[in-house]
Amino acid sequence: MKILACNSNRPLAEAIAEYLTMSLTKASIRRFSDMEVFVEISENVRGEDVFVIQSTCYPANDNLMELLVTLDALRRGSARRITAVIPYFGYARQDRKSGPRTPISAKLVANLITTAGADRVVTLDLHSGQIQGFFDIPVDNLYGAPVFTNDIRARYDNVMIISPDVGGVVRARAIASRIEADLAIIDKRRERAGVSEVMNIIGDVKGRRCILVDDIVDSAGTLCNAAEALRKAGAVSVSAYVTHGVLSGGAVARVTSSPLEELVITDSIPATEAVKMAHNIRQITIAPLMAESIQRISEERSVSSLFD
């Protein structure tokens, strides 16, 4: 087994390799003067089981192209099996036609990854489960719930898990059942992309410590509006656990000035300086979870039993 890291999230790749007591495969992934991606793998990979770690986060197109070129290099280097480990799967929110003459970009990206040479994909908390069906190769969609539940148990009691929208109920219920907590739902209406309006809270949150659970936080408008609505409804405190901290534009400033006591994100996307400086944003690692899944895939053992 070999582990190769592209450039988007090298700290996570190094943490995964350290957990597995391995060294990262030596490779050079650089740009020509016109910003073309060039990949050169410095070790023999013939007949090897290779795992390529690359989050397709900002800049999404550059990081996606790095992944594709690296997969092609490994395929041409005669690797026995190539697994694309994508902690954050970019373009996942474009998983259906949202209107006339619009693309399903998640399917396009799935085709590109498969064509480039991936034999398998490992990812974390896909925006929607049906994206697994966009691939014609095996996909292991890992869940951040075990990482979150351990952290919640260690820090909170008398909590109530909140889904910030109807679409996230299954995710929130999974965490609520693990920690034997009550569940509430926020009914919102999204007028346009990136803007949301909280309408109703389904459930009694008065006197409770509320924890919002979601898969992606981008502009943070939904989370901040939800936190305000929950506090107005009588919640003692409001925190949030979100797997992928995209946090684009003025999201960090929005979170720091919101009623959110704490926003907890994973290191599926590397933290920016603004995130590191924010007083109420904390990052926890998914390296052990990703490393354990890589080990099990390499040894042909069950990955799903990780979540039993």
Side-chain angles (χ1 to χ4, degrees):
M1 178 172 69
K2 286 185 179 291
I3 297 177
L4 192 153
C6 296
N7 293 327
S8 74
N9 201 342
R10 196 167 181 89
L12 176 60
E14 290 171 349
I16 291 170
E18 183 180 353
Y19 184 92
L20 295 171
T21 63
M22 295 177 63
S23 298
L24 292 173
T25 299
K26 293 178 182 177
S28 173
I29 303 172
R30 58 186 187 273
R31 302 287 194 278
F32 288 126
S33 57
D34 63 353
M35 299 308 291
E36 280 187 12
V37 176
F38 177 73
V39 175
E40 185 176 17
I41 299 165
S42 307
E43 297 180 20
N44 180 29
V45 295
R46 185 178 295 274
E48 294 280 0
D49 191 6
V50 185
F51 294 83
V52 183
I53 300 173
Q54 175 81 330
S55 286
T56 51
C57 50
Y58 176 85
N61 298 332
D62 288 355
N63 289 329
L64 176 60
M65 200 64 204
E66 272 189 17
L67 174 62
L68 297 176
V69 175
T70 303
L71 293 173
D72 185 71
L74 290 167
R75 180 169 60 89
R76 296 178 189 279
S78 300
R80 177 175 60 85
R81 182 173 66 177
I82 306 166
T83 302
V85 181
I86 311 172
Y88 172 66
F89 186 84
Y91 287 95
R93 285 173 283 182
Q94 298 183 50
D95 59 352
R96 65 193 185 281
K97 286 195 69 170
S98 56
R101 297 168 297 282
T102 56
I104 304 179
S105 302
K107 169 60 176 168
L108 171 63
V109 171
N111 289 345
L112 290 170
I113 290 170
T114 305
T115 302
D119 298 300
R120 189 181 199 100
V121 169
V122 177
T123 187
L124 177 71
D125 274 338
L126 280 173
H127 185 60
S128 53
Q130 69 262 26
I131 294 174
Q132 295 173 78
F134 292 175
F135 289 88
D136 294 323
I137 56 177
V139 177
D140 290 300
N141 180 30
L142 307 180
Y143 302 101
V147 179
F148 285 163
T149 51
N150 290 339
D151 195 78
I152 292 169
R153 282 196 190 103
R155 292 172 176 269
Y156 296 96
D157 54 15
N158 187 33
V159 300
M160 191 170 199
I161 302 299
I162 315 292
S163 174
D165 53 38
V166 175
V169 171
V170 173
R171 185 180 301 106
R173 186 186 291 121
I175 291 181
S177 62
R178 280 175 173 267
I179 61 174
E180 298 180 346
D182 293 329
L183 177 69
I185 303 166
I186 292 180
D187 172 37
K188 70 174 186 184
R189 180 175 300 160
R190 188 180 291 277
E191 302 295 340
R192 62 183 187 275
V195 178
S196 64
E197 180 185 354
V198 172
M199 301 300 290
N200 294 299
I201 298 171
I202 304 169
D204 184 11
V205 300
K206 188 173 182 180
R208 306 296 295 272
R209 303 186 73 179
C210 293
I211 296 179
L212 288 152
V213 175
D214 211 349
D215 63 326
I216 299 174
V217 53
D218 188 351
S219 65
T222 296
L223 281 184
C224 295
N225 289 347
E228 289 178 9
L230 289 166
R231 289 305 301 268
K232 286 178 183 176
V236 173
S237 66
V238 183
S239 300
Y241 281 73
V242 183
T243 307
H244 307 297
V246 177
L247 297 171
S248 60
V252 174
R254 198 171 289 115
V255 170
T256 54
S257 61
S258 75
L260 280 171
E261 185 177 274
E262 186 178 48
L263 168 61
V264 180
I265 56 177
T266 73
D267 54 355
S268 65
I269 297 174
T272 62
E273 284 303 315
V275 169
K276 292 176 183 175
M277 297 292 291
H279 71 276
N280 62 341
I281 301 179
R282 178 165 59 91
Q283 196 173 48
I284 58 179
T285 187
I286 52 165
L289 174 66
M290 302 299 291
E292 186 64 31
S293 66
I294 287 171
Q295 185 79 57
R296 290 179 180 223
I297 290 167
S298 179
E299 296 173 355
E300 305 291 351
R301 292 190 288 134
S302 170
V303 174
S304 61
S305 61
L306 269 174
F307 308 106
D308 292 342

